[in-house]
Amino acid sequence: MPQIAQLAETYASQIFWMLLFFGLVFFVVGRGMVPKVMATVEARDSQIAADLAAAGAARTQADAEEEAWRVQSNAQRAQAQALIAAAKAKAATATEKSLAKAQDKIDAQLAEAEARIGAAKDKGLAEVAGIASDAASQIVTRLTGAAIDAKLADKAVKEALSA
């Protein structure tokens, strides 16, 4: 076979060119391109780490601001509740005073009405007693024909009404 016979002649040449090619690839890729790629990867990693650190700091600051806002909101809510409670207490006091004045006025009107009713009752009883006394005198006069003294008739009517 002629191809095998040529192998010994071309073997050294192929090894030379293979070493030259792989050496060239090693120096171009290994020494030229890989350091640039590695530098880019390291720069990207450091940028990502810096961005994560900045995001963490921003998150911490946002949490602190949120907490401050919550504290301020709670303080304002408490202050508003205190104002509402004070307004309710003031309104209750004003209502109590108004109700007390109205109650005093009603009590005065009630006492006045009771006094008028008592006076009317006494006047009515006096009139009833007078009418009853006159009626008793007239009844006795008609039945017996004798006239009765008005004082005696008044005394008899008072005894009958008190019993």
Side-chain angles (χ1 to χ4, degrees):
M1 276 214 190
Q3 292 90 0
I4 296 178
Q6 291 177 351
L7 188 62
E9 295 172 8
T10 61
Y11 186 66
S13 167
Q14 287 179 354
I15 290 177
F16 170 75
W17 286 111
M18 185 179 73
L19 288 176
L20 181 68
F21 177 75
F22 282 119
L24 184 64
V25 168
F26 174 75
F27 281 107
V28 169
V29 172
R31 299 288 182 175
M33 292 172 61
V34 170
K36 290 180 183 178
V37 170
M38 293 305 293
T40 303
V41 169
E42 288 177 10
R44 191 176 121 223
D45 287 345
S46 66
Q47 181 65 36
I48 289 172
D51 289 347
L52 288 175
R59 172 181 274 167
T60 303
Q61 181 182 0
D63 289 344
E65 287 178 9
E66 180 184 9
E67 185 62 30
W69 177 81
R70 286 181 195 266
V71 167
Q72 181 182 8
S73 175
N74 289 340
Q76 289 174 346
R77 189 174 292 116
Q79 183 180 9
Q81 292 295 333
L83 288 174
I84 289 170
K88 282 183 180 179
K90 184 177 179 181
T93 304
T95 302
E96 284 181 20
K97 288 180 182 178
S98 175
L99 287 175
K101 285 181 183 179
Q103 187 64 40
D104 291 343
K105 190 174 184 180
I106 290 171
D107 289 344
Q109 289 176 348
L110 182 62
E112 181 182 327
E114 286 177 352
R116 283 194 318 256
I117 290 171
K121 180 182 173 185
D122 292 341
K123 183 178 176 185
L125 287 176
E127 288 178 5
V128 167
I131 292 171
S133 170
D134 288 340
S137 297
Q138 289 176 4
I139 291 172
V140 170
T141 304
R142 281 193 186 168
L143 290 177
T144 61
I148 298 183
D149 185 26
K151 290 183 182 179
L152 184 62
D154 286 338
K155 182 179 176 187
V157 168
K158 285 181 182 177
E159 287 178 9
L161 287 176
S162 65

